[in-house]
Amino acid sequence: MAVSQSLTFSKIRWAMLACGLAWAGLQAYIIHGFGFLWYTATTDSGISSILLAAACWLINNNLRYYQPGKGSYINILIWCSALAAACTAGCRYILPFLNEGVVYANFMMQSLVIRFFTDFLAIGWMAMISMIWYSQIDQKENEKRKAEAEQLARDAELYNLRQQLQPHFLFNSLNSINALIGFKPDEARKMIHQLSDFLRGTLKKDDQLQVTLNEELQHLNLYLEIEKVRFGHRLKTEISCDERCGESVMPAMLLQPLVENAIKFGLYDTTDDVVVSIRAELEGNYLELIVQNPYDPKTSRPRQGTGFGLSGVQRRLYLLFARNDLMETHANDNIFTTIIKIPQ
């Protein structure tokens, strides 16, 4: 970005230099047309152009650091008039010393008004070009800063959601371990080892935004093993994955809260065996993940808690893909279905 702007500025400087030389040449040609020698015409146009270039540089440099607001353009008009008057005054008092002829002196006095308006128009054009140029640069910089701020905010919120996920699951697991210690110490130790492996894998994924479906399922199996220790034979899972979608990418740890939600509403309100189904399919340019669990509509009600669950997953999808249509839920025939679509 900086290199591109530097090259653009360099091209503009060369363009302005070419315009200045063309301006000086045209002025010298016009003065020579009034019958003056080329030396006099060239000297006049050279000094006039130097004074005008200094005025243009001054107005350009001023507008580089000061952009007039609405209602302040009159200040620019005053600046242009003052600089044009200064250029004209410079010509009035400097040029006569270079040619002391009466004819040239009369020519000088008669051309002062034309010189003033010519300089005013040139300085005005420079002011207008500078305002447009620097306002566009400021707008691009503001847009860049805004985009960076929004990206930082998204990253911070994603990090916050990821940090919510670990304690949410950890507290549930620790409560289960506490319940098992008294009458099933071996199961409690097994669960502690599984929890350790799960959390170690979670920490390794903190810096990974995308993982393959196979990696996500391997990590999910660690979670399911912990839950099976908690619920024993009551919890059964069916995982089916199309061979084509094994290497499809997805946000890390996106399935775990979906499965946790399915277990929560499938097992907590019943003593029967429950089957949680997890399917993965490729549909066009989307990886479609489907999680299904049985539920009792009479007893399954929203519970008090962290509120992470499905809303956290939907928020993550929105932050990553800027879309609200990538997750949907259905409840039919006592089967609750959650579907998420991951763009590939």
Side-chain angles (χ1 to χ4, degrees):
M1 181 71 177
V3 175
S4 177
Q5 285 189 356
S6 178
L7 291 174
T8 303
F9 280 131
S10 179
K11 292 179 180 179
I12 290 176
R13 291 191 189 101
W14 283 108
M16 297 302 295
L17 179 60
C19 291
L21 292 175
W23 179 282
L26 178 62
Q27 185 174 346
Y29 178 79
I30 293 174
I31 294 174
H32 176 70
F34 281 94
F36 294 101
L37 298 176
W38 277 112
Y39 169 78
T40 301
T42 304
T43 303
D44 185 312
S45 65
I47 293 176
S48 300
S49 298
I50 290 174
L51 292 172
L52 180 59
C56 289
W57 175 86
L58 186 61
I59 194 72
N60 174 268
N61 195 61
N62 183 64
L63 291 172
R64 183 176 182 179
Y65 302 102
Y66 165 74
Q67 284 291 318
K70 293 182 178 179
S72 300
Y73 295 110
I74 187 65
N75 296 334
I76 302 299
L77 186 63
I78 294 173
W79 262 94
C80 293
S81 300
L83 290 173
C87 290
T88 305
C91 293
R92 167 67 179 82
Y93 292 104
I94 294 175
L95 291 177
F97 290 102
L98 303 176
N99 190 323
E100 298 181 357
V102 176
V103 176
Y104 180 76
N106 291 332
F107 169 78
M108 171 60 62
M109 295 301 296
Q110 293 174 1
S111 64
L112 288 179
V113 175
I114 296 177
R115 289 174 187 269
F116 171 80
F117 283 106
T118 302
D119 291 343
F120 177 79
L121 290 175
I123 297 170
W125 272 105
M126 174 57 70
M128 184 179 67
I129 293 172
S130 299
M131 283 191 294
I132 295 174
W133 173 258
Y134 291 121
S135 64
Q136 287 181 343
I137 291 179
D138 288 344
Q139 183 178 0
K140 289 180 180 179
E141 289 295 328
N142 289 334
E143 291 176 352
K144 181 181 177 182
R145 286 193 293 269
K146 182 180 178 182
E148 290 175 350
E150 290 176 348
Q151 182 63 43
L152 288 173
R154 284 196 297 269
D155 291 344
E157 188 170 356
L158 280 170
Y159 178 78
N160 184 47
L161 289 171
R162 293 287 301 276
Q163 292 304 105
Q164 287 182 41
L165 173 60
Q166 295 179 22
H168 180 76
F169 167 69
L170 182 60
F171 294 151
N172 289 339
S173 299
L174 290 177
N175 287 333
S176 299
I177 292 172
N178 181 58
L180 290 171
I181 287 176
F183 63 98
K184 291 184 179 180
D186 292 338
E187 294 290 338
R189 282 193 293 270
K190 179 181 178 181
M191 192 170 181
I192 290 173
H193 289 304
Q194 292 171 335
L195 178 61
S196 176
D197 292 339
F198 178 82
L199 293 178
R200 188 180 297 112
T202 301
L203 292 174
K204 289 180 180 178
K205 293 183 179 182
D206 276 349
D207 295 328
Q208 296 181 16
L209 190 61
Q210 299 282 331
V211 297
T212 65
L213 177 60
N214 287 335
E215 292 173 335
E216 179 74 359
L217 290 176
Q218 289 175 5
H219 194 66
L220 180 66
N221 282 327
L222 290 173
Y223 165 76
L224 290 174
E225 289 300 320
I226 296 172
E227 293 297 78
K228 286 178 181 178
V229 172
R230 294 176 61 195
F231 297 105
H233 67 277
R234 293 180 55 214
L235 174 61
K236 294 180 173 57
T237 57
E238 295 179 352
I239 301 177
S240 60
C241 174
D242 190 336
E243 293 180 357
R244 299 178 303 159
C245 58
E247 296 301 317
S248 301
V249 295
M250 61 178 294
M253 295 194 69
L254 194 67
L255 269 176
Q256 190 268 332
L258 297 180
V259 175
E260 182 177 358
N261 185 78
I263 293 173
K264 174 181 177 180
F265 289 101
L267 278 165
Y268 284 9
D269 293 318
T270 181
T271 57
D272 297 331
D273 294 351
V274 169
V275 178
V276 175
S277 171
I278 304 163
R279 300 201 314 272
E281 303 171 353
L282 273 179
E283 294 289 339
N285 295 325
Y286 294 90
L287 171 63
E288 191 171 280
L289 303 172
I290 305 168
V291 179
Q292 290 182 313
N293 64 277
Y295 84 109
D296 187 346
K298 296 179 180 180
T299 60
S300 293
R301 293 287 185 271
R303 299 171 178 267
Q304 298 296 325
T306 62
F308 181 75
L310 299 182
S311 61
V313 173
Q314 188 166 25
R315 183 61 180 167
R316 280 189 68 191
L317 291 172
Y318 174 76
L319 291 172
L320 291 170
F321 302 106
R323 292 176 57 178
N324 281 318
D325 61 339
L326 297 178
M327 176 176 169
E328 56 185 80
T329 58
H330 305 285
N332 296 313
D333 299 328
N334 293 345
I335 297 294
F336 189 83
T337 303
T338 305
I339 302 173
I340 58 174
K341 298 178 181 179
I342 312 298
Q344 298 296 301

